[in-house]
Amino acid sequence: MASSTEILMVPLLMVSLMVAASASNFYNDFDITWGDGRAKILNNGELLTLNLDKASGSGFQSRNEFLFGKIDMQLKLVPGNSAGTVTAYYLSSKGSTWDEIDFEFLGNLSGDPYILHTNVFSQGKGNREQQFYLWFDPTADFHTYSILWNPQRIIFSVDGTPIREFKNMESNGVPFPKNQAMRIYSSLWNADDWATRGGLVKTDWNNAPFTASYRNFNANACVVSNGASSCGSNSSPSTSNNNAWLAEELDSTSQERLQWVKNNYMIYNYCTDTKRFPQGMPTECNVS
């Protein structure tokens, strides 16, 4: 594990550590960016809903940009026959060599499981898809979807259970997202050309409008403003509980839970798709 000194020597400009209030407010934290009224902030800022109909979907983005963080959001996905729809929830920077950390929820026919699609882009390169079924109905209630992003690793979690870890393997020549600040984005949109069974099942607009709901956003994160500096330069991860996530890694129990998810719920892993990479698997697939 990297020392706290190594962790803090991240090339950035004016970065301040933010500990978000436990009672977040969507009016303060996010802007609705598209959808012509289809996205709504409700309940005095405690609830946000996205809607999709045949004319348009909708989306929002965070007001802050982050460079590393532990970010939680509770989502309740489109119920019933959601085939053809995609609910995307992700972090992304701008530009042609952008970084991105993705959750995408691919809709389903009634009674079939949602597919949770994950991906990691670094310097504009993605193609690192892993897909999972969930062990519960994500439309019946809210569940917490989390991204831990620190200088050593990215961990995707669902209700506190890790489902994927992407480690910093720059020493092996694999780019890692660490220099570009990212905003949080989410959108609900029609992707029936590919989303459900490879596009075989189309969106049934008789079920529209489709709705996804969000609540309880929380971010312990480095907020970037006016340039770059050392994230957490005023406090050490080893001495502050507020930014202990900067050095967080999976303990043995979490590693067991991660393996449980892989064994029982992973349905696609790019690192085992030999047909896709006939010239050899990506470097990170061969690093323990």
Side-chain angles (χ1 to χ4, degrees):
M1 188 173 81
S3 69
S4 59
T5 302
E6 291 170 326
I7 291 166
L8 299 178
M9 292 179 64
V10 180
L12 294 189
L13 236 145
M14 255 307 317
V15 178
S16 62
L17 191 69
M18 178 195 79
V19 179
S22 57
S24 63
N25 188 296
F26 282 106
Y27 284 119
N28 298 332
D29 296 325
F30 293 92
D31 290 315
I32 292 171
T33 48
W34 64 284
D36 195 23
R38 290 172 178 82
K40 295 180 173 65
I41 298 176
L42 306 167
N43 298 357
N44 297 315
E46 294 181 359
L47 180 71
L48 190 153
T49 60
L50 295 182
N51 285 275
L52 164 67
D53 58 32
K54 197 167 187 178
S56 178
S58 51
F60 64 87
Q61 71 180 43
S62 63
R63 292 186 173 181
N64 286 320
E65 290 184 291
F66 306 96
L67 190 69
F68 306 125
K70 191 172 186 179
I71 296 166
D72 304 322
M73 182 82 82
Q74 290 194 326
L75 281 73
K76 182 163 67 171
L77 299 180
V78 175
N81 180 359
S82 57
T85 71
V86 171
T87 304
Y89 169 62
Y90 59 102
L91 290 164
S92 183
S93 63
K94 296 291 190 181
S96 59
T97 56
W98 77 100
D99 295 336
E100 188 170 317
I101 304 169
D102 290 344
F103 278 115
E104 288 187 288
F105 303 90
L106 311 187
N108 61 9
L109 289 167
S110 296
D112 290 344
Y114 260 80
I115 292 175
L116 171 51
H117 176 100
T118 66
N119 204 351
V120 176
F121 289 76
S122 51
Q123 299 179 19
K125 178 186 180 297
N127 299 321
R128 298 187 177 107
E129 300 90 347
Q130 290 183 358
Q131 294 183 338
F132 307 84
Y133 287 142
L134 295 167
W135 49 95
F136 53 82
D137 179 356
T139 73
D141 203 350
F142 286 90
H143 292 268
T144 303
Y145 301 91
S146 305
I147 294 169
L148 170 68
W149 170 36
N150 66 29
Q152 298 82 38
R153 58 186 46 81
I154 295 164
I155 299 172
F156 298 77
S157 298
V158 178
D159 289 337
T161 295
I163 64 168
R164 178 175 185 177
E165 180 180 27
F166 184 82
K167 294 181 180 179
N168 184 336
M169 292 170 277
E170 288 180 306
S171 60
N172 298 99
V174 180
F176 184 82
K178 69 171 191 179
N179 297 318
Q180 300 185 66
M182 297 196 265
R183 292 187 193 274
I184 300 167
Y185 297 88
S186 191
S187 57
L188 174 59
W189 50 292
N190 178 42
D192 66 3
D193 57 333
W194 66 270
T196 306
R197 293 184 59 201
L200 294 176
V201 183
K202 301 301 181 182
T203 303
D204 184 352
W205 295 111
N206 292 320
N207 295 312
F210 302 98
T211 302
S213 302
Y214 302 74
R215 73 180 187 190
N216 290 348
F217 166 71
N218 188 73
N220 290 332
C222 301
V223 178
V224 174
S225 59
N226 303 324
S229 170
S230 186
C231 181
S233 57
N234 295 323
S235 57
S236 165
S238 61
T239 60
S240 170
N241 288 333
N242 287 337
N243 61 337
W245 55 267
L246 268 170
E248 187 172 332
E249 58 187 14
L250 295 176
D251 61 19
S252 58
T253 299
S254 295
Q255 289 172 354
E256 290 174 2
R257 295 170 78 187
L258 176 65
Q259 194 60 48
W260 173 78
V261 173
K262 288 182 176 180
N263 292 343
N264 293 283
Y265 296 100
M266 178 183 278
I267 58 172
Y268 178 80
N269 181 5
Y270 75 109
C271 279
T272 61
D273 192 344
T274 54
K275 291 183 179 178
R276 185 176 174 188
F277 302 102
Q279 304 305 315
M281 304 307 292
T283 301
E284 65 269 19
C285 297
N286 300 313
V287 178
S288 59

